Amino acid sequence: MNLDGSAQDPEKGEYSFVCVGREDDIKKSERMTAVVHDREVVIFYHRGEYHAMDIRCYHSGGPLHLGDIEDFDGRPCIVCPWHKYKITLATGEGLYQSINPKDPSAKPKWCSKGIKQRIHTVTVDDGNIYVTLSNEPFKCDSDFYATGDFKVIKSSS
Ligand code: FES
């Protein structure tokens, strides 16, 4: 098991998993933050499931670890505390409500903007929580605030 925080495997293009804490602790607090391979993430424990995502909101970098979790259209979402954007915990999709302007009496419908927040993988082993960063090649809006000058935690090296 490699817990030394080493960087992405250049041959496989995969990140090694990193231990971020104990299962008992996150079950009490229902969320925790961690730095995984120099990237800040938040891990939520919600209704018996774990979800990890970039900590800074894709919209303007708001602190998602300080948001509330609410259901929208039957989907648990983190609500960003800055401008109230809704992001699904499971997939990182941005949700919004739309109405048909030609039928203003119609009930607003929940729609997806697509995946906006990068989701990472959480695994539990022997009471420890591990996060593996996503290496999905698509460009995700939250990458902007997770890398480069906007990254909050600077590398100590
Ligand atoms: Fe999150 Fe604006 S920064 S909604």
mmCIF file of all heavy atoms in Angstrom, residues 41-71:
data_model
loop_
_atom_site.group_PDB
_atom_site.id
_atom_site.type_symbol
_atom_site.label_atom_id
_atom_site.label_comp_id
_atom_site.label_asym_id
_atom_site.label_seq_id
_atom_site.Cartn_x
_atom_site.Cartn_y
_atom_site.Cartn_z
ATOM 1 N N VAL A 41 -9.418 18.480 -1.441
ATOM 2 C CA VAL A 41 -10.696 17.798 -1.676
ATOM 3 C C VAL A 41 -11.525 17.849 -0.400
ATOM 4 O O VAL A 41 -11.005 18.064 0.695
ATOM 5 C CB VAL A 41 -10.498 16.318 -2.108
ATOM 6 C CG1 VAL A 41 -9.751 16.228 -3.418
ATOM 7 C CG2 VAL A 41 -9.799 15.527 -1.026
ATOM 8 N N VAL A 42 -12.829 17.678 -0.580
ATOM 9 C CA VAL A 42 -13.726 17.502 0.559
ATOM 10 C C VAL A 42 -14.371 16.133 0.412
ATOM 11 O O VAL A 42 -14.710 15.715 -0.702
ATOM 12 C CB VAL A 42 -14.783 18.638 0.631
ATOM 13 C CG1 VAL A 42 -15.584 18.771 -0.658
ATOM 14 C CG2 VAL A 42 -15.715 18.435 1.833
ATOM 15 N N ILE A 43 -14.509 15.449 1.526
ATOM 16 C CA ILE A 43 -15.138 14.123 1.535
ATOM 17 C C ILE A 43 -16.389 14.234 2.401
ATOM 18 O O ILE A 43 -16.325 14.704 3.546
ATOM 19 C CB ILE A 43 -14.189 13.052 2.118
ATOM 20 C CG1 ILE A 43 -12.887 13.013 1.321
ATOM 21 C CG2 ILE A 43 -14.867 11.673 2.097
ATOM 22 C CD1 ILE A 43 -11.720 13.686 1.982
ATOM 23 N N PHE A 44 -17.517 13.841 1.828
ATOM 24 C CA PHE A 44 -18.789 13.858 2.557
ATOM 25 C C PHE A 44 -19.202 12.427 2.876
ATOM 26 O O PHE A 44 -18.998 11.510 2.062
ATOM 27 C CB PHE A 44 -19.898 14.496 1.705
ATOM 28 C CG PHE A 44 -19.651 15.939 1.368
ATOM 29 C CD1 PHE A 44 -19.298 16.317 0.081
ATOM 30 C CD2 PHE A 44 -19.773 16.926 2.336
ATOM 31 C CE1 PHE A 44 -19.068 17.654 -0.229
ATOM 32 C CE2 PHE A 44 -19.551 18.258 2.037
ATOM 33 C CZ PHE A 44 -19.205 18.627 0.749
ATOM 34 N N TYR A 45 -19.800 12.272 4.039
ATOM 35 C CA TYR A 45 -20.468 11.011 4.384
ATOM 36 C C TYR A 45 -21.940 11.349 4.510
ATOM 37 O O TYR A 45 -22.358 12.071 5.413
ATOM 38 C CB TYR A 45 -19.923 10.456 5.703
ATOM 39 C CG TYR A 45 -20.600 9.188 6.139
ATOM 40 C CD1 TYR A 45 -20.370 8.001 5.459
ATOM 41 C CD2 TYR A 45 -21.470 9.183 7.222
ATOM 42 C CE1 TYR A 45 -21.001 6.832 5.846
ATOM 43 C CE2 TYR A 45 -22.100 8.013 7.626
ATOM 44 C CZ TYR A 45 -21.863 6.839 6.926
ATOM 45 O OH TYR A 45 -22.496 5.684 7.311
ATOM 46 N N HIS A 46 -22.730 10.843 3.557
ATOM 47 C CA HIS A 46 -24.139 11.232 3.495
ATOM 48 C C HIS A 46 -24.997 10.003 3.227
ATOM 49 O O HIS A 46 -24.804 9.316 2.222
ATOM 50 C CB HIS A 46 -24.329 12.272 2.379
ATOM 51 C CG HIS A 46 -25.716 12.798 2.272
ATOM 52 N ND1 HIS A 46 -26.281 13.628 3.243
ATOM 53 C CD2 HIS A 46 -26.681 12.623 1.340
ATOM 54 C CE1 HIS A 46 -27.517 13.935 2.898
ATOM 55 N NE2 HIS A 46 -27.792 13.332 1.744
ATOM 56 N N ARG A 47 -25.910 9.747 4.127
ATOM 57 C CA ARG A 47 -26.828 8.593 4.004
ATOM 58 C C ARG A 47 -26.089 7.295 3.714
ATOM 59 O O ARG A 47 -26.460 6.528 2.809
ATOM 60 C CB ARG A 47 -27.870 8.858 2.926
ATOM 61 C CG ARG A 47 -28.814 9.982 3.300
ATOM 62 C CD ARG A 47 -29.944 10.102 2.301
ATOM 63 N NE ARG A 47 -30.682 11.324 2.504
ATOM 64 C CZ ARG A 47 -31.121 12.127 1.534
ATOM 65 N NH1 ARG A 47 -30.893 11.826 0.274
ATOM 66 N NH2 ARG A 47 -31.793 13.213 1.821
ATOM 67 N N GLY A 48 -25.010 7.094 4.431
ATOM 68 C CA GLY A 48 -24.300 5.826 4.321
ATOM 69 C C GLY A 48 -23.347 5.719 3.150
ATOM 70 O O GLY A 48 -22.759 4.659 2.926
ATOM 71 N N GLU A 49 -23.198 6.813 2.373
ATOM 72 C CA GLU A 49 -22.290 6.768 1.227
ATOM 73 C C GLU A 49 -21.231 7.866 1.337
ATOM 74 O O GLU A 49 -21.486 8.931 1.898
ATOM 75 C CB GLU A 49 -23.072 6.953 -0.080
ATOM 76 C CG GLU A 49 -24.011 5.794 -0.365
ATOM 77 C CD GLU A 49 -24.694 5.935 -1.708
ATOM 78 O OE1 GLU A 49 -24.413 6.906 -2.434
ATOM 79 O OE2 GLU A 49 -25.509 5.060 -2.016
ATOM 80 N N TYR A 50 -20.072 7.576 0.757
ATOM 81 C CA TYR A 50 -18.970 8.536 0.736
ATOM 82 C C TYR A 50 -18.894 9.196 -0.638
ATOM 83 O O TYR A 50 -19.099 8.534 -1.658
ATOM 84 C CB TYR A 50 -17.646 7.834 1.024
ATOM 85 C CG TYR A 50 -17.572 7.245 2.413
ATOM 86 C CD1 TYR A 50 -17.884 5.907 2.639
ATOM 87 C CD2 TYR A 50 -17.209 8.033 3.500
ATOM 88 C CE1 TYR A 50 -17.837 5.367 3.913
ATOM 89 C CE2 TYR A 50 -17.155 7.501 4.779
ATOM 90 C CZ TYR A 50 -17.468 6.177 4.982
ATOM 91 O OH TYR A 50 -17.425 5.646 6.242
ATOM 92 N N HIS A 51 -18.578 10.483 -0.615
ATOM 93 C CA HIS A 51 -18.398 11.226 -1.865
ATOM 94 C C HIS A 51 -17.217 12.167 -1.689
ATOM 95 O O HIS A 51 -17.136 12.856 -0.664
ATOM 96 C CB HIS A 51 -19.640 12.063 -2.187
ATOM 97 C CG HIS A 51 -20.914 11.273 -2.223
ATOM 98 N ND1 HIS A 51 -21.303 10.546 -3.320
ATOM 99 C CD2 HIS A 51 -21.861 11.069 -1.282
ATOM 100 C CE1 HIS A 51 -22.459 9.946 -3.058
ATOM 101 N NE2 HIS A 51 -22.819 10.244 -1.839
ATOM 102 N N ALA A 52 -16.344 12.213 -2.667
ATOM 103 C CA ALA A 52 -15.218 13.152 -2.614
ATOM 104 C C ALA A 52 -15.236 14.010 -3.872
ATOM 105 O O ALA A 52 -15.541 13.525 -4.967
ATOM 106 C CB ALA A 52 -13.889 12.405 -2.519
ATOM 107 N N MET A 53 -14.926 15.292 -3.701
ATOM 108 C CA MET A 53 -14.884 16.203 -4.848
ATOM 109 C C MET A 53 -13.881 17.317 -4.569
ATOM 110 O O MET A 53 -13.449 17.501 -3.423
ATOM 111 C CB MET A 53 -16.272 16.793 -5.128
ATOM 112 C CG MET A 53 -16.844 17.604 -3.995
ATOM 113 S SD MET A 53 -18.463 18.388 -4.407
ATOM 114 C CE MET A 53 -19.498 16.997 -4.771
ATOM 115 N N ASP A 54 -13.529 18.050 -5.614
ATOM 116 C CA ASP A 54 -12.688 19.235 -5.420
ATOM 117 C C ASP A 54 -13.371 20.156 -4.419
ATOM 118 O O ASP A 54 -14.594 20.345 -4.449
ATOM 119 C CB ASP A 54 -12.509 19.987 -6.748
ATOM 120 C CG ASP A 54 -11.587 19.262 -7.706
ATOM 121 O OD1 ASP A 54 -10.813 18.393 -7.262
ATOM 122 O OD2 ASP A 54 -11.645 19.581 -8.916
ATOM 123 N N ILE A 55 -12.569 20.759 -3.551
ATOM 124 C CA ILE A 55 -13.159 21.532 -2.454
ATOM 125 C C ILE A 55 -13.685 22.884 -2.928
ATOM 126 O O ILE A 55 -14.612 23.430 -2.339
ATOM 127 C CB ILE A 55 -12.128 21.697 -1.322
ATOM 128 C CG1 ILE A 55 -12.815 22.062 -0.019
ATOM 129 C CG2 ILE A 55 -11.060 22.710 -1.680
ATOM 130 C CD1 ILE A 55 -11.899 21.951 1.183
ATOM 131 N N ARG A 56 -13.090 23.445 -4.008
ATOM 132 C CA ARG A 56 -13.486 24.778 -4.470
ATOM 133 C C ARG A 56 -14.536 24.668 -5.573
ATOM 134 O O ARG A 56 -14.333 23.963 -6.553
ATOM 135 C CB ARG A 56 -12.270 25.546 -4.989
ATOM 136 C CG ARG A 56 -11.242 25.839 -3.909
ATOM 137 C CD ARG A 56 -11.622 27.030 -3.072
ATOM 138 N NE ARG A 56 -10.986 26.975 -1.760
ATOM 139 C CZ ARG A 56 -11.346 27.734 -0.732
ATOM 140 N NH1 ARG A 56 -12.323 28.594 -0.847
ATOM 141 N NH2 ARG A 56 -10.732 27.621 0.417
ATOM 142 N N CYS A 57 -15.618 25.397 -5.385
ATOM 143 C CA CYS A 57 -16.750 25.369 -6.315
ATOM 144 C C CYS A 57 -16.323 25.789 -7.729
ATOM 145 O O CYS A 57 -15.557 26.740 -7.892
ATOM 146 C CB CYS A 57 -17.816 26.310 -5.786
ATOM 147 S SG CYS A 57 -19.218 26.559 -6.870
ATOM 148 N N TYR A 58 -16.862 25.102 -8.703
ATOM 149 C CA TYR A 58 -16.512 25.368 -10.103
ATOM 150 C C TYR A 58 -16.903 26.763 -10.564
ATOM 151 O O TYR A 58 -16.357 27.295 -11.522
ATOM 152 C CB TYR A 58 -17.158 24.325 -11.027
ATOM 153 C CG TYR A 58 -18.651 24.485 -11.199
ATOM 154 C CD1 TYR A 58 -19.171 25.277 -12.211
ATOM 155 C CD2 TYR A 58 -19.550 23.851 -10.339
ATOM 156 C CE1 TYR A 58 -20.538 25.437 -12.384
ATOM 157 C CE2 TYR A 58 -20.911 23.997 -10.496
ATOM 158 C CZ TYR A 58 -21.416 24.791 -11.506
ATOM 159 O OH TYR A 58 -22.756 24.952 -11.662
ATOM 160 N N HIS A 59 -17.855 27.395 -9.880
ATOM 161 C CA HIS A 59 -18.357 28.697 -10.337
ATOM 162 C C HIS A 59 -17.337 29.806 -10.091
ATOM 163 O O HIS A 59 -16.900 30.481 -11.018
ATOM 164 C CB HIS A 59 -19.689 29.021 -9.635
ATOM 165 C CG HIS A 59 -20.198 30.387 -9.937
ATOM 166 N ND1 HIS A 59 -20.679 31.237 -8.964
ATOM 167 C CD2 HIS A 59 -20.277 31.069 -11.111
ATOM 168 C CE1 HIS A 59 -21.045 32.374 -9.530
ATOM 169 N NE2 HIS A 59 -20.817 32.296 -10.832
ATOM 170 N N SER A 60 -16.950 29.982 -8.816
ATOM 171 C CA SER A 60 -16.002 31.053 -8.482
ATOM 172 C C SER A 60 -15.076 30.670 -7.345
ATOM 173 O O SER A 60 -14.503 31.543 -6.699
ATOM 174 C CB SER A 60 -16.752 32.329 -8.081
ATOM 175 O OG SER A 60 -17.103 33.083 -9.198
ATOM 176 N N GLY A 61 -14.977 29.388 -7.075
ATOM 177 C CA GLY A 61 -14.029 28.938 -6.065
ATOM 178 C C GLY A 61 -14.555 28.933 -4.643
ATOM 179 O O GLY A 61 -13.778 28.911 -3.689
ATOM 180 N N GLY A 62 -15.867 28.946 -4.469
ATOM 181 C CA GLY A 62 -16.453 28.940 -3.118
ATOM 182 C C GLY A 62 -16.101 27.677 -2.339
ATOM 183 O O GLY A 62 -15.832 26.625 -2.922
ATOM 184 N N PRO A 63 -16.106 27.773 -1.002
ATOM 185 C CA PRO A 63 -15.680 26.659 -0.139
ATOM 186 C C PRO A 63 -16.802 25.641 0.077
ATOM 187 O O PRO A 63 -17.644 25.801 0.966
ATOM 188 C CB PRO A 63 -15.316 27.375 1.177
ATOM 189 C CG PRO A 63 -16.212 28.581 1.201
ATOM 190 C CD PRO A 63 -16.445 28.996 -0.230
ATOM 191 N N LEU A 64 -16.802 24.594 -0.705
ATOM 192 C CA LEU A 64 -17.915 23.629 -0.647
ATOM 193 C C LEU A 64 -17.985 22.891 0.689
ATOM 194 O O LEU A 64 -19.057 22.416 1.067
ATOM 195 C CB LEU A 64 -17.794 22.622 -1.790
ATOM 196 C CG LEU A 64 -17.959 23.214 -3.192
ATOM 197 C CD1 LEU A 64 -17.866 22.114 -4.239
ATOM 198 C CD2 LEU A 64 -19.285 23.965 -3.327
ATOM 199 N N HIS A 65 -16.882 22.805 1.401
ATOM 200 C CA HIS A 65 -16.920 22.099 2.683
ATOM 201 C C HIS A 65 -17.767 22.851 3.719
ATOM 202 O O HIS A 65 -18.100 22.302 4.759
ATOM 203 C CB HIS A 65 -15.504 21.852 3.211
ATOM 204 C CG HIS A 65 -14.715 23.089 3.454
ATOM 205 N ND1 HIS A 65 -14.396 23.984 2.454
ATOM 206 C CD2 HIS A 65 -14.180 23.604 4.588
ATOM 207 C CE1 HIS A 65 -13.689 24.985 2.963
ATOM 208 N NE2 HIS A 65 -13.553 24.766 4.259
ATOM 209 N N LEU A 66 -18.126 24.101 3.405
ATOM 210 C CA LEU A 66 -18.949 24.882 4.328
ATOM 211 C C LEU A 66 -20.410 24.943 3.884
ATOM 212 O O LEU A 66 -21.218 25.642 4.497
ATOM 213 C CB LEU A 66 -18.397 26.312 4.445
ATOM 214 C CG LEU A 66 -16.942 26.415 4.930
ATOM 215 C CD1 LEU A 66 -16.493 27.865 4.990
ATOM 216 C CD2 LEU A 66 -16.777 25.743 6.295
ATOM 217 N N GLY A 67 -20.746 24.215 2.817
ATOM 218 C CA GLY A 67 -22.115 24.255 2.291
ATOM 219 C C GLY A 67 -23.028 23.253 2.978
ATOM 220 O O GLY A 67 -22.587 22.356 3.691
ATOM 221 N N ASP A 68 -24.334 23.432 2.736
ATOM 222 C CA ASP A 68 -25.337 22.478 3.237
ATOM 223 C C ASP A 68 -25.635 21.444 2.163
ATOM 224 O O ASP A 68 -25.546 21.734 0.965
ATOM 225 C CB ASP A 68 -26.645 23.206 3.583
ATOM 226 C CG ASP A 68 -26.478 24.138 4.771
ATOM 227 O OD1 ASP A 68 -25.677 23.813 5.667
ATOM 228 O OD2 ASP A 68 -27.138 25.194 4.781
ATOM 229 N N ILE A 69 -26.040 20.261 2.600
ATOM 230 C CA ILE A 69 -26.470 19.220 1.656
ATOM 231 C C ILE A 69 -27.993 19.181 1.643
ATOM 232 O O ILE A 69 -28.633 19.111 2.689
ATOM 233 C CB ILE A 69 -25.893 17.847 2.051
ATOM 234 C CG1 ILE A 69 -24.364 17.863 1.925
ATOM 235 C CG2 ILE A 69 -26.494 16.736 1.182
ATOM 236 C CD1 ILE A 69 -23.681 16.597 2.405
ATOM 237 N N GLU A 70 -28.558 19.281 0.443
ATOM 238 C CA GLU A 70 -30.015 19.225 0.287
ATOM 239 C C GLU A 70 -30.329 18.380 -0.952
ATOM 240 O O GLU A 70 -29.501 18.269 -1.856
ATOM 241 C CB GLU A 70 -30.598 20.623 0.064
ATOM 242 C CG GLU A 70 -30.438 21.570 1.235
ATOM 243 C CD GLU A 70 -30.981 22.960 0.894
ATOM 244 O OE1 GLU A 70 -32.036 23.064 0.234
ATOM 245 O OE2 GLU A 70 -30.321 23.936 1.278
ATOM 246 N N ASP A 71 -31.538 17.838 -0.974
ATOM 247 C CA ASP A 71 -31.985 17.088 -2.148
ATOM 248 C C ASP A 71 -32.656 18.027 -3.143
ATOM 249 O O ASP A 71 -33.498 18.852 -2.755
ATOM 250 C CB ASP A 71 -32.997 16.008 -1.741
ATOM 251 C CG ASP A 71 -32.311 14.790 -1.147
ATOM 252 O OD1 ASP A 71 -31.072 14.808 -0.998
ATOM 253 O OD2 ASP A 71 -33.022 13.822 -0.838
#
